[in-house]
Amino acid sequence: MPTKIEKDALTGTMTTGHEWDGLKELNTPLPKWWLYLFYATIAFSVVWVILYPAFPFKGWTGVTGWVAREAVMDDVNAANARMAPMMNRIREATPQQIAADPQLRSFAMAGGRIAFANNCAGCHGAGGQGAPGGFPSLADDDWIWGGTHDQIRATIAHGIRAGESDEERTSIMPRFVADGMLTLAQANDAAEFVLSLSGRATDQPAVERGRALYADNCASCHGDGGEGNRDVGAPRLNDRVWLNGSDKAAIARFIGAPRLGVMPSWGGRLDPATVNMLTVYVHALGGGEN
Ligand code: HEC
Ligand code: HEC
């Protein structure tokens, strides 16, 4: 309850006039150094508001006219202007020409690495090593659609099954069980035969039943011996590289209702020079073909 404001005998400090059960509150003043610092920050902020952008008003306030965003844009534009001659050469050249010219190649590898980290690593992994769930490695020599410069460029520029480009890579594998073309048991036999193509089959009678099913239903796309067919993006089945799981259950499930990979088309999103740099970069990751 409020009482008289008075000088506290023990500390020499004034009280606030509040008292609770005989306890009186002291009105200790702020330390001087703290108080002056506080005033200084207020003065500083006033100067700042006058000099620099603080409020959006017909553009920005601030008598100096300096805006951090514009300063960054100036830096970016200057950097782009410096790179423009190189970018123009890379835009005009084919990926083969870029790869054959040491100067263009090192520029493209540096730019390609950054563009890859920004646009591709989310699906294909930071080093292009691929990721589970149908995202292929780009660093090996196992290509679904082809590993020459031209083939890689076409894949990147037009995408895969995304419906974004007339020249996209596209094909379907039938949903054999879901659409009633094979029974579950037949899908299992076909899967066992697929395992035999990479020497992993354990059930010989099932392999024999699957062999005929494969010849009738699968060989047209995947090849008689599972060598694959890049024209239709049908992966090799006679190696140990798998997009969607390598065990029998995963393969049988895929035969029953395949989940087909989709990749956006980058031609409409990225500068053609960037697409060229990405092509050279991906080609050099480890599996590029001539
Ligand atoms: C949204 C995920 C996604 C992103 C982002 C993505 N990709 Fe892909 N990419 C895929 C999938 C899925 C496939 C496999 C498609 C298939 O099954 O045929 C693929 C396939 C490819 C292939 C063909 C591989 C082969 O074996 O023939 C290349 C080359 C490729 N991507 C390059 C790139 C580059 C370069 C970028 C960045 C500009 C990129 N991808 C970004 C999902 C993606
Ligand atoms: C019309 C062409 C076509 C036919 C017919 C076809 N496939 Fe495919 N198959 C594909 C394509 C395209 C893919 C790649 C899907 C992707 O890239 O996501 C594929 C992928 C696969 C895969 C996954 C490979 C991996 O790396 O994970 C398996 C397994 C497979 N097929 C088995 C079969 C079997 C068994 C049959 C016959 C019962 C069959 N396919 C018939 C086109 C075909």
Side-chain angles (χ1 to χ4, degrees):
M1 61 175 294
T3 58
K4 198 155 89 332
I5 294 180
E6 58 190 14
K7 194 175 197 145
D8 175 57
L10 205 59
T11 60
T13 305
M14 301 301 288
T15 64
T16 59
H18 295 153
E19 182 184 337
W20 293 271
D21 298 334
L23 292 177
K24 292 179 184 164
E25 186 183 30
L26 292 182
N27 192 5
T28 311
L30 292 162
K32 285 283 180 287
W33 67 264
W34 193 96
L35 200 62
Y36 291 138
L37 211 59
F38 179 56
Y39 292 148
T41 61
I42 293 175
F44 181 84
S45 69
V46 171
V47 173
W48 182 278
V49 163
I50 292 170
L51 291 182
Y52 294 115
F55 305 106
F57 175 74
K58 294 185 184 162
W60 286 91
T61 56
V63 296
T64 59
W66 180 89
V67 179
R69 182 186 299 260
E70 286 168 12
V72 170
M73 284 321 293
D74 288 347
D75 287 353
V76 170
N77 290 337
N80 283 343
R82 267 201 313 280
M83 291 193 302
M86 275 307 246
M87 288 296 269
N88 288 340
R89 285 177 63 195
I90 289 200
R91 197 173 297 115
E92 302 306 325
T94 65
Q96 290 90 326
Q97 290 166 339
I98 298 169
D101 177 321
Q103 197 196 7
L104 289 182
R105 184 175 191 280
S106 73
F107 189 91
M109 288 298 287
R113 178 174 295 113
I114 293 168
F116 193 87
N118 285 342
N119 299 289
C120 323
C123 288
H124 289 289
Q129 75 275 24
F135 304 107
S137 165
L138 305 177
D140 63 10
D141 57 1
D142 192 56
W143 296 96
I144 305 171
W145 299 98
T148 69
H149 278 113
D150 289 339
Q151 289 166 330
I152 294 173
R153 194 181 193 292
T155 305
I156 298 172
H158 301 298
I160 301 165
R161 300 188 188 93
E164 296 178 328
S165 160
D166 294 341
E167 295 166 67
E168 71 176 359
R169 306 240 186 234
T170 184
S171 67
I172 49 164
M173 169 163 155
R175 294 151 30 99
F176 283 101
V177 176
D179 289 345
M181 302 159 74
L182 296 179
T183 65
L184 260 180
Q186 287 174 315
N188 269 315
D189 290 345
E192 190 68 26
F193 178 77
V194 168
L195 288 181
S196 78
L197 293 173
S198 52
R200 295 185 297 143
T202 50
D203 179 349
Q204 204 50 39
V207 171
E208 292 315 322
R209 292 193 299 272
R211 187 184 306 280
L213 291 168
Y214 182 90
D216 290 347
N217 296 289
C218 322
S220 57
C221 288
H222 289 284
D224 292 335
E227 59 274 11
N229 180 351
R230 292 175 178 184
D231 291 337
V232 294
R236 280 180 67 169
L237 300 178
N238 61 1
D239 61 9
R240 304 262 173 132
V241 181
W242 298 91
L243 275 172
N244 301 284
S246 60
D247 61 0
K248 182 171 178 179
I251 294 173
R253 238 188 346 263
F254 196 87
I255 297 169
R259 218 190 56 186
L260 302 175
V262 175
M263 175 165 96
S265 116
W266 298 96
R269 293 183 168 84
L270 303 175
D271 181 330
T274 307
V275 173
N276 278 348
M277 293 196 296
L278 282 166
T279 303
V280 172
Y281 177 76
V282 168
H283 187 270
L285 279 177
E289 297 173 346
N290 289 314

